[in-house]
Amino acid sequence: EVQLVESGGGLVKPGSSLKLSCVASGFTFSSYGMHWIRQAPKKGLEWIALIYYDSSNKYYADSVKGRFTISRDNSKNTLYLEMNSLRSEDTAMYYCAKEANYDGTYYYFDYWGQGVMVTVSS
Amino acid sequence: DTVLTQSPALAVSPGERVTISCRASESVSTGMHWYQQKPGQQPKLLIYGASNLESGVPARFSGSGSGTDFTLTIDPVEADDTATYFCQQSWNDPYTFGAGTKLELK
């Protein structure tokens, strides 16, 4: 059974940093791209970062580029999101998600973690 | 960015057929996917590649469309289908989601 378990969230002040972790099990973690997706309270979903299976490429949404860093440790089956210079608008539930693809062309998210809440407030 | 527009809410009776629409601001080919999110839970994949049913998802769910207009159909609707449904495109960068359609049962 595929499981993704996030941790590391909490209440922080604007301008501070936080590092989220996502431990994966039930699949060959080192073979799949992984994503972070967030959802502000009562809002929709926003994709924020992608890391290739081998860390060779990383992509970010403009809203977090230069402040957030995605990384992974395949030996530990763990995905990370380092968040710096946090703002109130970063307040959200953060989900890690496993990537799947259809026809080698269309990418989607076939498994999601339960999410971890990050609140940025003074 | 590709904007995905969904109607905000629908109310239907159990046993009825419901269609949830998603319109893209530009073509996404068949790179459209649908997720169900129940309160307090993470999203769950229902449909990928516009019309492919994810393993384990009831056949009551189906998807159609290509280009800019897509539809998720639930037939028949059951009480357990109360949730918010999101479309997501992966044809254009960055990946984007619709704002969600909240489905309520009468």
Coordinates of all heavy atoms in Angstrom, one line a residue, chain A residues 20-59:
Chain A
L20 N 9.7 21.0 5.6 CA 8.8 19.9 5.6 C 9.4 18.6 5.1 O 10.3 18.7 4.2 CB 7.6 20.2 4.7 CG 6.8 21.5 4.9 CD1 5.6 21.7 4.0 CD2 6.4 21.7 6.4
S21 N 8.9 17.5 5.6 CA 9.4 16.2 5.1 C 8.2 15.3 4.7 O 7.1 15.5 5.2 CB 10.1 15.4 6.2 OG 11.3 16.1 6.7
C22 N 8.4 14.4 3.8 CA 7.4 13.5 3.3 C 8.1 12.1 3.2 O 8.9 11.9 2.3 CB 6.8 14.0 2.0 SG 5.8 12.7 1.2
V23 N 7.7 11.2 4.1 CA 8.3 9.8 4.0 C 7.4 9.0 3.2 O 6.1 8.9 3.4 CB 8.5 9.3 5.4 CG1 9.0 7.8 5.3 CG2 9.4 10.1 6.2
A24 N 7.9 8.3 2.2 CA 7.2 7.5 1.3 C 7.4 6.0 1.5 O 8.5 5.6 1.9 CB 7.6 7.8 -0.2
S25 N 6.4 5.2 1.3 CA 6.5 3.7 1.4 C 5.5 3.1 0.5 O 4.5 3.7 0.0 CB 6.3 3.3 2.8 OG 5.0 3.6 3.3
G26 N 5.7 1.8 0.2 CA 4.8 1.1 -0.6 C 5.0 1.1 -2.1 O 4.3 0.6 -2.9
F27 N 6.1 1.8 -2.6 CA 6.5 1.9 -4.0 C 7.9 2.2 -4.1 O 8.6 2.6 -3.0 CB 5.6 2.9 -4.7 CG 5.9 4.4 -4.3 CD1 6.6 5.2 -5.1 CD2 5.3 4.9 -3.1 CE1 6.8 6.5 -4.7 CE2 5.5 6.2 -2.8 CZ 6.3 7.0 -3.5
T28 N 8.5 2.1 -5.2 CA 9.9 2.4 -5.4 C 10.1 3.9 -5.6 O 10.0 4.4 -6.7 CB 10.5 1.6 -6.7 OG1 10.2 0.2 -6.5 CG2 12.0 1.8 -6.8
F29 N 10.4 4.5 -4.5 CA 10.4 6.0 -4.4 C 11.4 6.5 -5.4 O 11.1 7.6 -6.1 CB 10.8 6.4 -3.0 CG 10.9 7.8 -2.7 CD1 9.8 8.6 -2.6 CD2 12.2 8.4 -2.5 CE1 9.9 10.0 -2.4 CE2 12.3 9.8 -2.3 CZ 11.2 10.6 -2.2
S30 N 12.5 5.9 -5.6 CA 13.6 6.4 -6.4 C 13.2 6.4 -7.9 O 14.0 6.9 -8.7 CB 14.9 5.7 -6.2 OG 14.7 4.3 -6.5
S31 N 12.1 5.9 -8.3 CA 11.7 5.8 -9.7 C 10.7 6.8 -10.1 O 10.3 6.9 -11.3 CB 11.1 4.4 -10.0 OG 12.0 3.4 -9.8
Y32 N 10.2 7.7 -9.2 CA 9.1 8.6 -9.5 C 9.4 10.0 -9.2 O 10.1 10.3 -8.2 CB 7.9 8.1 -8.7 CG 7.3 6.8 -9.2 CD1 7.8 5.6 -8.6 CD2 6.4 6.8 -10.2 CE1 7.3 4.4 -9.1 CE2 5.9 5.6 -10.7 CZ 6.4 4.4 -10.1 OH 5.9 3.2 -10.5
G33 N 9.0 10.9 -10.0 CA 8.9 12.3 -9.7 C 8.0 12.5 -8.5 O 7.0 11.8 -8.3
M34 N 8.3 13.6 -7.8 CA 7.5 13.9 -6.6 C 7.2 15.4 -6.6 O 8.0 16.2 -7.1 CB 8.2 13.5 -5.3 CG 8.4 12.0 -5.1 SD 6.9 11.1 -4.9 CE 6.3 11.8 -3.3
H35 N 6.0 15.7 -6.1 CA 5.6 17.1 -6.1 C 5.1 17.6 -4.7 O 4.8 16.8 -3.8 CB 4.3 17.2 -7.0 CG 4.6 16.9 -8.4 ND1 4.6 17.8 -9.4 CD2 4.8 15.7 -9.0 CE1 4.8 17.2 -10.6 NE2 4.9 15.9 -10.3
W36 N 5.1 18.9 -4.5 CA 4.5 19.5 -3.4 C 3.3 20.4 -4.0 O 3.5 21.1 -4.9 CB 5.4 20.4 -2.6 CG 6.4 19.7 -1.8 CD1 7.7 19.4 -2.1 CD2 6.2 19.1 -0.5 NE1 8.3 18.6 -1.0 CE2 7.4 18.5 0.0 CE3 5.1 19.0 0.4 CZ2 7.5 17.8 1.2 CZ3 5.2 18.4 1.6 CH2 6.4 17.8 2.0
I37 N 2.2 20.3 -3.3 CA 1.0 21.0 -3.7 C 0.4 21.6 -2.4 O 0.4 20.9 -1.4 CB 0.0 20.0 -4.4 CG1 0.6 19.5 -5.7 CG2 -1.3 20.8 -4.7 CD1 0.0 18.2 -6.1
R38 N -0.1 22.8 -2.5 CA -0.6 23.4 -1.2 C -2.1 23.9 -1.5 O -2.5 24.1 -2.6 CB 0.2 24.6 -0.8 CG 0.2 25.8 -1.6 CD 1.2 26.8 -1.1 NE 1.3 28.0 -1.9 CZ 2.1 29.1 -1.6 NH1 2.9 29.0 -0.6 NH2 2.0 30.1 -2.4
Q39 N -2.7 24.0 -0.3 CA -4.1 24.5 -0.4 C -4.4 25.4 0.8 O -4.4 25.0 2.0 CB -5.1 23.2 -0.2 CG -6.5 23.5 -0.4 CD -7.4 22.3 -0.5 OE1 -7.0 21.3 0.1 NE2 -8.5 22.3 -1.2
A40 N -4.5 26.7 0.5 CA -4.8 27.7 1.5 C -6.2 27.4 2.1 O -7.1 26.8 1.4 CB -4.8 29.1 0.9
P41 N -6.5 27.8 3.3 CA -7.7 27.5 4.0 C -8.9 27.9 3.1 O -9.0 29.1 2.6 CB -7.7 28.3 5.3 CG -6.2 28.4 5.6 CD -5.5 28.5 4.2
K42 N -9.8 27.0 2.9 CA -11.1 27.2 2.2 C -10.8 27.6 0.7 O -11.7 28.2 0.1 CB -11.9 28.3 2.8 CG -12.2 28.1 4.3 CD -13.2 27.0 4.5 CE -13.6 26.9 6.0 NZ -14.5 25.7 6.2
K43 N -9.6 27.3 0.2 CA -9.3 27.7 -1.1 C -9.0 26.5 -2.0 O -9.1 25.3 -1.5 CB -8.0 28.6 -1.1 CG -8.2 29.9 -0.3 CD -9.1 30.9 -1.1 CE -9.1 32.2 -0.4 NZ -10.0 33.2 -1.1
G44 N -8.6 26.7 -3.2 CA -8.3 25.6 -4.1 C -6.8 25.2 -4.0 O -6.1 25.5 -3.1
L45 N -6.4 24.3 -4.9 CA -5.1 23.7 -4.9 C -4.1 24.4 -5.8 O -4.5 24.9 -6.8 CB -5.3 22.2 -5.4 CG -6.1 21.4 -4.5 CD1 -6.7 20.2 -5.3 CD2 -5.4 20.9 -3.3
E46 N -2.9 24.5 -5.3 CA -1.8 25.2 -6.0 C -0.6 24.3 -6.1 O 0.0 24.0 -5.1 CB -1.5 26.5 -5.4 CG -0.4 27.3 -6.1 CD 0.1 28.5 -5.4 OE1 -0.1 28.6 -4.1 OE2 0.8 29.3 -6.0
W47 N -0.2 23.9 -7.3 CA 1.0 23.2 -7.5 C 2.2 24.1 -7.2 O 2.2 25.3 -7.6 CB 1.1 22.7 -8.9 CG 2.5 22.1 -9.2 CD1 2.9 20.8 -8.9 CD2 3.6 22.8 -9.8 NE1 4.2 20.7 -9.3 CE2 4.7 21.9 -9.8 CE3 3.8 24.1 -10.2 CZ2 5.9 22.2 -10.3 CZ3 5.0 24.4 -10.7 CH2 6.1 23.5 -10.8
I48 N 3.2 23.7 -6.4 CA 4.3 24.6 -6.1 C 5.7 24.0 -6.5 O 6.6 24.8 -6.7 CB 4.3 25.0 -4.6 CG1 4.3 23.8 -3.7 CG2 3.1 25.9 -4.3 CD1 4.5 24.3 -2.2
A49 N 5.9 22.7 -6.5 CA 7.2 22.3 -6.8 C 7.2 20.8 -7.3 O 6.4 20.0 -6.9 CB 8.2 22.4 -5.6
L50 N 8.2 20.5 -8.2 CA 8.4 19.2 -8.7 C 9.9 18.9 -8.7 O 10.7 19.7 -9.0 CB 8.0 19.1 -10.2 CG 8.6 18.1 -11.1 CD1 8.2 16.7 -10.7 CD2 8.2 18.4 -12.6
I51 N 10.2 17.6 -8.3 CA 11.6 17.1 -8.4 C 11.6 15.8 -9.2 O 10.7 14.9 -8.9 CB 12.2 17.0 -7.0 CG1 13.7 16.6 -7.1 CG2 11.5 16.0 -6.1 CD1 14.5 16.7 -5.8
Y52 N 12.5 15.7 -10.1 CA 12.6 14.4 -10.9 C 13.0 13.3 -10.0 O 13.6 13.5 -8.9 CB 13.6 14.6 -12.0 CG 13.0 15.3 -13.3 CD1 11.9 16.1 -13.2 CD2 13.7 15.1 -14.5 CE1 11.4 16.7 -14.4 CE2 13.2 15.7 -15.6 CZ 12.1 16.5 -15.6 OH 11.6 17.1 -16.7
Y53 N 12.8 12.1 -10.5 CA 13.2 10.9 -9.7 C 14.6 10.9 -9.2 O 14.9 10.4 -8.1 CB 12.9 9.6 -10.5 CG 13.8 9.4 -11.7 CD1 14.9 8.5 -11.5 CD2 13.7 10.1 -12.9 CE1 15.7 8.3 -12.6 CE2 14.6 9.9 -13.9 CZ 15.6 9.0 -13.8 OH 16.5 8.8 -14.8
D54 N 15.5 11.4 -10.0 CA 16.9 11.4 -9.7 C 17.5 12.8 -9.3 O 18.7 13.0 -9.3 CB 17.7 10.9 -10.9 CG 17.5 11.8 -12.1 OD1 16.7 12.7 -12.1 OD2 18.2 11.5 -13.2
S55 N 16.6 13.7 -9.0 CA 16.9 15.1 -8.6 C 17.6 15.9 -9.7 O 18.1 17.0 -9.4 CB 17.9 15.1 -7.3 OG 17.3 14.4 -6.2
S56 N 17.6 15.4 -10.9 CA 18.3 16.1 -12.0 C 17.6 17.4 -12.4 O 18.2 18.2 -13.0 CB 18.4 15.1 -13.2 OG 17.1 14.7 -13.6
N57 N 16.3 17.5 -12.1 CA 15.6 18.7 -12.5 C 14.6 19.0 -11.4 O 14.0 18.1 -10.7 CB 14.8 18.5 -13.8 CG 15.7 18.6 -15.0 OD1 16.2 19.7 -15.3 ND2 16.0 17.5 -15.6
K58 N 14.5 20.3 -11.2 CA 13.5 20.8 -10.2 C 12.8 22.0 -10.8 O 13.4 22.8 -11.5 CB 14.3 21.3 -8.9 CG 15.1 20.2 -8.3 CD 15.9 20.7 -7.1 CE 16.9 19.6 -6.6 NZ 17.7 20.1 -5.4
Y59 N 11.5 22.1 -10.5 CA 10.7 23.2 -11.0 C 9.8 23.8 -9.9 O 9.4 23.1 -9.0 CB 9.8 22.7 -12.2 CG 10.6 22.2 -13.4 CD1 10.9 20.8 -13.5 CD2 11.1 23.0 -14.3 CE1 11.6 20.3 -14.5 CE2 11.8 22.5 -15.4 CZ 12.1 21.2 -15.5 OH 12.8 20.7 -16.5

